[in-house]
Amino acid sequence: MIDYKKAEQAEKLLLESGVPFTLAYNNTDKYMRCCVFGNYPTLKEFIVTMMVQAVVNVQSKYGEEAAMKELMGMMTEAAQRYCEATQGDEKCEVLN
């Protein structure tokens, strides 16, 4: 069984420690919790490294082209979400 209270405690302990970190988990079927702490260059390195790790299995199973498409898809989805968060859905149709 998943213990979300322990995940929340981990986030609190990481924040108290002062170390740069990224933490993401699915708290329910409809809620994704994501917390990042640190300076931009460090956080950027975390994110890029996670993206690469996420598509390593895609590359091993489906090849380099599929892995590159996944990476581009991640970038496009992130741009779409950023646009929606900062400008609203109606102004982001060009990305769809």
Side-chain angles (χ1 to χ4, degrees), residues 7-38:
E8 291 169 6
Q9 183 181 19
E11 181 179 335
K12 181 181 175 188
L13 290 171
L14 284 166
L15 283 168
E16 288 175 1
S17 75
V19 299
F21 71 92
T22 61
L23 176 68
Y25 59 93
N26 190 0
N27 198 0
T28 66
D29 288 339
K30 297 180 181 179
Y31 178 73
M32 180 73 65
R33 175 71 180 133
C34 180
C35 182
V36 295
F37 177 78

Side-chain angles (χ1 to χ4, degrees), residues 18-19 24 26 28 44 65 72 87 95:
V19 299
N26 190 0
T28 66
K44 179 181 174 182
E65 184 176 343
M72 293 302 292
Q87 299 177 26
L95 294 176

Side-chain angles (χ1 to χ4, degrees), residues 11-82:
E11 181 179 335
K12 181 181 175 188
L13 290 171
L14 284 166
L15 283 168
E16 288 175 1
S17 75
V19 299
F21 71 92
T22 61
L23 176 68
Y25 59 93
N26 190 0
N27 198 0
T28 66
D29 288 339
K30 297 180 181 179
Y31 178 73
M32 180 73 65
R33 175 71 180 133
C34 180
C35 182
V36 295
F37 177 78
N39 60 41
Y40 177 76
T42 302
L43 296 175
K44 179 181 174 182
E45 184 62 28
F46 287 166
I47 293 165
V48 170
T49 300
M50 287 186 288
M51 289 173 68
V52 171
Q53 289 298 318
V55 298
V56 164
N57 285 340
V58 173
Q59 189 277 329
S60 67
K61 292 180 182 178
Y62 303 106
E64 188 172 335
E65 184 176 343
M68 293 302 293
K69 285 181 181 179
E70 264 316 291
L71 286 172
M72 293 302 292
M74 287 182 199
M75 185 276 308
T76 301
E77 185 173 342
Q80 179 69 33
R81 288 185 187 190
Y82 171 76

